[in-house]
Amino acid sequence: MRMIRPPGVYAPQGDTALLLEALARERLTPGARTLDLCTGTGVLAIAAARRGATATASDIAAAAVTTARCNARLRRCRLRVVRGDLVAPVAGERFDLVTANPPYVPAPGREAPRGGPARAWDAGHDGRLLLDRICRAAPAVLAPRGVLLLVQSSLSGVAATLAALRAVGLRARVVARRLQPFGRVMTARARWFERRGLVAPGTRTEELVVIRAVRPAPDPSDVSTASTASTASTDSVTSSAPPASGTPASASAPSSVRMPGRNPGRRPVPEPEDRPGTAAPHRHREAR
């Protein structure tokens, strides 16, 4: 699937391909509500829309929003594209499936770039400026039983992401891994990564991982208990109902999508603390 990509918009690469593979394994029912954060060209949102999802794509960059809209029209699929900071444009909405391929490359600067190509990959000193925010925001946009698929590099703290997602009540685990060579940007920072202890001396590869996090459905016994307590007390106040439940969505990766490796610089596996996954070779990514 060919995609329009003007300068400054992140090109679908190795991490995009790994996330598309994980998306293809998710169950997708017609009309399932999906959200793609940091959409770039919109390829992930389009993959969901082509499977019948009610798809939304979000990006903070005006060029990415325009690009995603154009690509959706070229693919003749219905896609809502909104501009804003992560989940801000969809505040109050709930989704059955959320995908995210945010900037995650550690950078010497502690703040995210305000513009330019580096905005698509630089994510602060530890690469977690966007990752941590997505982890905190996920419960607010996921329907009960909703699924988050998040891709990142091993250099930006996989264990930290798992811990952050579990801390907000989600069930999180690694479901895909892929080893790939550093691209141009990562290679230029390799010595800095070594000094920071992010990679061993001489290492010029990174592992990409997809983390799958699920928002549990409300416990019926809790609802029953609350209802009984409310009936027994004349002073009780009725609380608002939980968001409407949704069915976990899935999307299939277009077989014709060809992705170079992401490195301006993802096959299900057990969680890293159980057993390390087998890394599969991947082509060089041009940018990261």
Side-chain angles (χ1 to χ4, degrees), residues 128 130-139 150 161 164-165 168 170:
R128 300 199 56 83
L130 276 294
L131 289 170
D132 286 335
R133 292 182 58 207
I134 291 172
C135 291
R136 291 192 298 266
L150 172 66
T161 300
L165 290 168
V168 294
L170 305 184

Side-chain angles (χ1 to χ4, degrees), residues 18-278:
L18 193 62
L19 193 52
L20 277 168
E21 292 168 10
L23 180 59
R25 292 191 291 270
E26 293 295 325
R27 180 170 165 251
L28 183 65
T29 57
R33 299 157 297 176
T34 67
L35 171 66
D36 183 38
L37 298 174
C38 308
T39 198
T41 61
V43 62
L44 286 153
I46 290 170
R50 293 179 76 183
R51 290 289 305 277
T54 301
T56 298
S58 174
D59 204 293
I60 197 170
V65 168
T66 300
T67 301
R69 287 174 178 161
C70 290
N71 283 323
R73 291 191 186 102
L74 287 174
R75 296 296 132 216
R76 298 174 182 259
C77 67
R78 187 182 298 275
L79 176 64
R80 177 176 65 141
V81 186
V82 295
R83 183 185 179 194
D85 185 17
L86 294 181
V87 302
V90 295
E93 298 183 44
R94 297 293 183 271
F95 299 88
D96 305 304
L97 177 67
V98 177
T99 55
N101 184 2
Y104 53 68
V105 175
R110 295 186 178 275
E111 301 296 328
R114 293 183 176 273
R119 191 181 196 179
W121 55 80
D122 279 3
H125 211 55
D126 56 5
R128 300 199 56 83
L129 284 181
L130 276 294
L131 289 170
D132 286 335
R133 292 182 58 207
I134 291 172
C135 291
R136 291 192 298 266
V141 293
L142 286 175
R145 300 189 184 90
V147 173
L148 167 69
L149 294 175
L150 172 66
V151 68
Q152 68 168 90
S153 169
S154 55
L155 275 67
S156 49
V158 175
T161 300
L162 290 169
L165 290 168
R166 291 165 183 165
V168 294
L170 305 184
R171 298 194 300 265
R173 63 190 179 96
V174 173
V175 295
R177 299 174 181 272
R178 179 172 295 162
L179 191 69
Q180 69 174 30
F182 281 177
R184 177 177 53 85
V185 170
M186 300 283 281
T187 298
R189 295 179 186 174
R191 296 298 178 88
W192 182 75
F193 292 154
E194 291 175 357
R195 292 194 298 271
R196 293 272 326 277
L198 298 176
V199 299
T203 298
R204 297 299 180 266
T205 58
E206 64 172 334
E207 186 178 48
L208 300 175
V209 304
V210 173
I211 294 174
R212 183 180 191 269
V214 182
R215 180 186 176 189
D219 188 340
S221 63
D222 291 342
V223 175
S224 175
T225 301
S227 175
T228 302
S230 176
T231 303
S233 173
T234 57
D235 297 327
S236 62
V237 177
T238 303
S239 61
S240 60
S245 63
T247 305
S250 106
S252 93
S255 58
S256 59
V257 176
R258 299 182 61 189
M259 307 289 185
R262 176 178 184 178
N263 247 2
R266 284 176 172 176
R267 324 180 188 335
V269 297
E271 293 186 25
E273 58 265 39
D274 297 330
R275 178 169 60 86
T278 302

